[in-house]
Amino acid sequence: MVKERSPWLQAVLLLLLILGAFVSIIPFLFMVSHSLKTIAETITRSSAIPFDPKFWPRVPQWSNYRVAWQEARFGLYFRNSVIITAITVGGIVFTSSLSAYAFAKLRFVGRDLIFTILLSTLMIPQTVLLIPNFIIVAKLGWIDRLPALTVPFLASAFHIFLLRQFFSQIPNELIEVAKIDGATHLRSLISIVLPLSKAPIFTVVFLSFIYTWNLLQWPLVVTQTPRWRPITVGLSMFITEAGPETHLRMAGAVIAVLPVITVYFIAQRQFTEAITRSGLKE
Amino acid sequence: MPRQRVSLQPRRSGRRARAASENLTGYLFIFPSVLLISVFGIFPVFFTLYVSLHKWRIKRGRFIGLANYREMFGSPLYLLLVIAALACIALAVYLIGRARGKRGSLSAGSGVFLLVIGLAALALLLPYLARAGDKGMFTSLRVTVWYSLGTVPVQLALGLLLASFLYQKIPAKQVFRVIYLLPYIVPSVASAAVFERLFSLKPESFANQVLALFGRPPAQWLLEPKGIFFLLSGERMAVVSESVIADYWLSWAQGPSLALVSIMFFNWWVFVGYNALIYTNGLSNIPRQLYEAAEVDGAGKLAVFFKITLPMLSPTTYFLTLLGIIGTFKAFAHIYVLRHPAARGEVDPMSVQIFFTFFRKSRFGYAAALSLLLFAIVLVLTLVQRRIMKERVHYG
């Protein structure tokens, strides 16, 4: 398929690709430029085309971010999101690597049956779990508290599956040798399997980080005050309830997007690989 | 003999002890995951069923059996007839699919016959079922179907187009890949917040500026509950007839609301790049020899595309199609942000309808019944997909 092409065709292809990239990026530029406008500018001086000077603020209002961070409480929501995401990602790596090791390397009664049952839960849509889980969490007295936002997400069949695929390829001999040296399974998981599995562990971290950070429906249901509200919920309430404060909304959106984009750019190659290989869950 | 037994004893019990300890380690290792997934992933499915059989408004009320399901569908008779019609159509599609290639076979003829019967029955019965059942649910089903039809084919077509560009020898390939995936990874609440501005009803919003380029007056976009075909026809397709059947199908003919179409733009923006990346993966898995053989045979570019590329990509296409359709049944965050009360529910697919039944109206029991219907639909789609995949993978 790849053949010598006329330079014209090459140029047209490239131009179309650049156009596509431009469409992907414009909304982000809009987010940034409008977060730096005055409230009057967002109403009277607005455009959606970056080549139009009206797209940009006359004088960037950096103070918008201070207002969003403090008065609109995006600082608190941001902090909550960081805590929730850190706990969840840590928990998923912990529970998934233990289980994946057991399913890949240990023999115990009912192993394959249990694994199949866990996998089949992937077919259940989140909407089905929403109502019963809300009732369970309410019964446990967790509404508006941190466990409601983290505990239900600390284990994931999807990530167990992902890691097990990789762990199975690690030769059993390595573990046998360690066992002769008197190592327990926990030891060989920590000192043999995990060091060999940096790439899949990174994949688990990235995917669960994005999934948790972006989650809206569940935290919307289990938070009633700003105490543990994550940034997605804070932002959505700001949009559906507040008035015409476009500049603060956009500042909030930038704050919500920034961590994801930062991590994405740092580890872009692993990210694009991981997502093309497995896809996010939602 | 006794000596032998004695000598075997320690080894055997040692092995048994080791097996027992491996069993124990295994259970210990999986315990945290199994506990959490059982409590928050498996038990809830049965608990939903239990909830759906009760009158349940925040607190559990009395047991009401299938009353919630009756409210959904109104009449059990119509429901059974509609399911029969659907089964008839499914059987027909199966027969036609099996007979494909075998010209003039008997099963193809009976397949077409069954298809006509099934479609006619559906066309006549569905309106009565919709009238007897829950209006909100049937609207949300219609919205979900429109949303699938309006998003999945576009995602696939544009995704494949971009992928075929991206697959060529071009500079800075990774930069494009990174940028195309960007809309997919950011929180959709944040990006939808931008689209809420781009498709606002103000004359200077992006969508209205585009209309102005074509000399058209500004539109309501996200606030417009009227169907686009209805709007394009100059609002001449109004529902005036007295017939239940004509009324019902006219509501379909009016098309998805302009508000829903605005949301489709967001969906395209998010998923085209993702699909392009998956397709590039699929393209690179096609063996080069196939193209070389086609070249030797002197096949044209179009023939190569339709006879080699497209069939070889069919597993990817099936995967993305199912993912897209199921995605519309799960769609939540962006619609939650982009829905406006003025659009009067004409943008709410099933997942959103269920959420509001549960969260705003606090009708836990009824929402649970609705969610099980959604589960059933998604399950059927998944199983159909599995089947097709199985046949295709052997074939390809």
Side-chain angles (χ1 to χ4, degrees):
Chain A
M1 238 198 157
V2 187
K3 293 241 297 288
E4 63 307 340
R5 301 184 163 276
S6 76
W8 279 108
L9 197 63
Q10 190 84 2
V12 170
L13 277 184
L14 204 59
L15 210 67
L16 285 171
L17 280 173
I18 292 173
L19 187 75
F22 204 57
V23 172
S24 295
I25 286 180
I26 286 183
F28 295 106
L29 296 179
F30 186 95
M31 213 183 261
V32 173
S33 73
H34 285 67
S35 73
L36 295 172
K37 286 183 170 181
T38 63
I39 187 163
E41 277 179 318
T42 61
I43 296 163
T44 57
R45 190 170 176 275
S46 182
S47 164
I49 298 122
F51 302 118
D52 187 340
K54 283 201 294 191
F55 186 87
W56 303 99
R58 277 204 194 85
V59 182
Q61 306 289 316
W62 296 104
S63 60
N64 286 350
Y65 280 89
R66 210 191 52 235
V67 177
W69 190 264
Q70 284 165 0
E71 279 152 51
R73 309 189 97 162
F74 282 117
L76 173 67
Y77 301 145
F78 184 86
R79 190 206 66 144
N80 292 343
S81 272
V82 170
I83 295 173
I84 293 164
T85 309
I87 295 176
T88 309
V89 171
I92 285 180
V93 170
F94 175 74
T95 60
S96 303
S97 48
L98 274 179
S99 308
Y101 181 88
F103 286 123
K105 294 291 171 213
L106 296 176
R107 246 171 289 145
F108 53 93
V109 181
R111 182 186 71 179
D112 296 344
L113 178 70
I114 298 173
F115 187 65
T116 314
I117 293 174
L118 288 190
L119 265 194
S120 65
T121 61
L122 290 177
M123 290 210 289
I124 304 165
Q126 286 300 316
T127 316
V128 178
L129 305 176
L130 181 68
I131 298 157
N133 275 343
F134 175 79
I135 297 173
I136 293 170
V137 162
K139 273 263 174 338
L140 290 168
W142 287 355
I143 297 296
D144 244 342
R145 291 173 52 203
L146 187 57
L149 294 150
T150 50
V151 175
F153 300 99
L154 290 182
S156 147
F158 174 76
H159 288 121
I160 295 173
F161 175 71
L162 214 123
L163 286 182
R164 198 200 78 130
Q165 295 288 87
F166 190 86
F167 287 2
S168 308
Q169 291 164 13
I170 294 173
N172 284 331
E173 288 76 37
L174 288 179
I175 291 158
E176 292 297 328
V177 168
K179 225 192 279 173
I180 291 166
D181 289 346
T184 60
H185 282 293
L186 192 61
R187 181 105 301 249
S188 48
L189 169 63
I190 293 170
S191 52
I192 299 172
V193 174
L194 287 185
L196 287 172
S197 316
K198 286 200 186 96
I201 295 282
F202 272 135
T203 305
V204 169
V205 170
F206 295 147
L207 293 184
S208 57
F209 162 69
I210 292 195
Y211 181 78
T212 314
W213 187 273
N214 294 356
L215 207 60
L216 174 70
Q217 192 175 49
W218 176 255
L220 192 64
V221 166
V222 295
T223 55
Q224 288 164 352
T225 65
R227 181 72 192 85
W228 282 109
R229 204 168 270 163
I231 190 145
T232 46
V233 177
L235 185 59
S236 79
M237 299 189 90
F238 200 76
I239 296 165
T240 51
E241 285 166 16
E245 294 170 311
T246 306
H247 60 311
L248 294 185
R249 276 185 210 189
M250 292 301 133
V254 171
I255 295 171
V257 160
L258 215 54
V260 174
I261 291 193
T262 312
V263 175
Y264 178 59
F265 279 139
I266 291 172
Q268 25 107 0
R269 200 163 282 275
Q270 287 96 319
F271 246 120
T272 45
E273 305 263 286
I275 290 171
T276 30
R277 239 185 298 117
S278 49
L280 284 172
K281 283 185 290 179
E282 214 176 8
Chain B
M1 296 307 141
R3 263 167 89 202
Q4 231 175 2
R5 247 166 84 188
V6 169
S7 70
L8 271 174
Q9 200 76 25
R11 234 205 286 165
R12 198 186 272 163
S13 77
R15 198 182 293 155
R16 205 179 291 150
R18 218 167 102 194
S21 100
E22 196 164 314
N23 262 315
L24 188 68
T25 319
Y27 293 134
L28 272 177
F29 276 22
I30 64 169
F31 177 72
S33 302
V34 169
L35 177 73
L36 285 167
I37 294 174
S38 307
V39 173
F40 296 107
I42 299 173
F43 166 71
V45 177
F46 302 99
F47 191 34
T48 319
L49 188 66
Y50 178 78
V51 174
S52 79
L53 300 176
H54 288 79
K55 193 179 170 79
W56 198 310
R57 289 175 170 267
I58 301 179
K59 285 205 158 56
R60 191 185 67 192
R62 63 193 164 81
F63 178 83
I64 52 169
L66 295 174
N68 281 325
Y69 296 91
R70 185 147 330 123
E71 182 180 343
M72 250 151 77
F73 292 115
S75 123
L77 174 69
Y78 284 129
L79 178 62
L80 283 178
L81 288 172
V82 166
I83 289 175
L86 286 175
C88 192
I89 293 170
L91 182 66
V93 170
Y94 174 72
L95 283 177
I96 294 170
R98 216 182 48 167
R100 205 175 45 181
K102 287 180 257 163
R103 204 166 286 275
S105 78
L106 193 70
S107 65
S110 53
V112 172
F113 179 69
L114 269 177
L115 189 64
V116 173
I117 299 274
L119 286 176
L122 195 67
L124 295 175
L125 290 167
L126 202 55
Y128 286 97
L129 182 67
R131 194 181 62 159
D134 173 6
K135 202 161 160 272
M137 185 201 71
F138 278 95
T139 305
S140 76
L141 260 176
R142 174 160 50 80
V143 169
T144 315
V145 171
W146 273 129
Y147 193 48
S148 292
L149 288 176
T151 54
V152 178
V154 177
Q155 286 172 19
L156 291 175
L158 289 182
L160 182 54
L161 192 71
L162 268 190
S164 57
F165 294 165
L166 212 52
Y167 186 62
Q168 311 294 330
K169 260 210 185 96
I170 46 138
K173 201 175 270 196
Q174 180 64 10
V175 175
F176 284 116
R177 281 158 57 98
V178 168
I179 291 176
Y180 286 155
L181 212 51
L182 205 52
Y184 181 75
I185 60 144
V186 298
S188 37
V189 181
S191 44
V194 176
F195 275 72
E196 195 262 345
R197 296 282 94 183
L198 297 183
F199 286 85
S200 87
L201 75 176
K202 288 195 291 182
E204 68 274 10
S205 76
F206 170 71
N208 279 331
Q209 280 183 347
V210 173
L211 278 189
L213 277 182
F214 294 97
R216 312 269 320 186
Q220 301 273 311
W221 297 108
L222 286 164
L223 284 73
E224 180 60 84
K226 290 175 187 155
I228 47 161
F229 301 147
F230 176 69
L231 290 169
L232 287 174
S233 74
E235 315 212 351
R236 269 196 294 271
M237 285 162 54
V239 177
V240 283
S241 71
E242 295 291 306
S243 142
V244 175
I245 296 171
D247 257 17
Y248 179 75
W249 291 112
L250 213 55
S251 75
W252 272 91
Q254 292 181 343
S257 64
L258 184 60
L260 186 63
V261 173
S262 312
I263 294 178
M264 287 176 191
F265 279 101
F266 178 79
N267 181 295
W268 301 340
W269 179 75
V270 171
F271 285 103
V272 166
Y274 173 72
N275 282 10
L277 242 69
I278 306 280
Y279 264 134
T280 342
N281 226 21
L283 282 173
S284 57
N285 286 338
I286 300 177
R288 195 118 311 180
Q289 297 94 295
L290 284 178
Y291 291 117
E292 284 157 12
E295 203 179 324
V296 171
D297 290 347
K301 275 212 165 85
L302 276 181
V304 168
F305 180 75
F306 282 106
K307 293 275 157 69
I308 297 178
T309 312
L310 219 47
M312 288 305 286
L313 282 178
S314 62
T316 313
T317 306
Y318 282 119
F319 168 72
L320 289 175
T321 307
L322 186 83
L323 208 69
I325 296 176
I326 291 185
T328 57
F329 277 93
K330 293 182 181 168
F332 182 77
H334 60 287
I335 296 181
Y336 181 77
V337 172
L338 291 173
R339 74 192 290 282
H340 192 280
R344 279 186 264 126
E346 286 292 337
V347 296
D348 297 352
M350 279 191 82
S351 52
V352 178
Q353 157 86 1
I354 292 168
F355 177 80
F356 281 106
T357 308
F358 156 64
F359 196 56
R360 283 278 155 78
K361 296 187 188 157
S362 296
R363 298 193 60 197
F364 290 21
Y366 187 55
L370 285 174
S371 76
L372 283 173
L373 173 68
L374 177 120
F375 190 17
I377 295 174
V378 171
L379 210 58
V380 168
L381 286 173
T382 313
L383 294 180
V384 168
Q385 157 79 5
R386 286 264 165 92
R387 235 209 117 80
I388 296 174
M389 276 293 262
K390 225 183 230 165
E391 281 168 17
R392 283 285 146 164
V393 168
H394 286 304
Y395 166 80

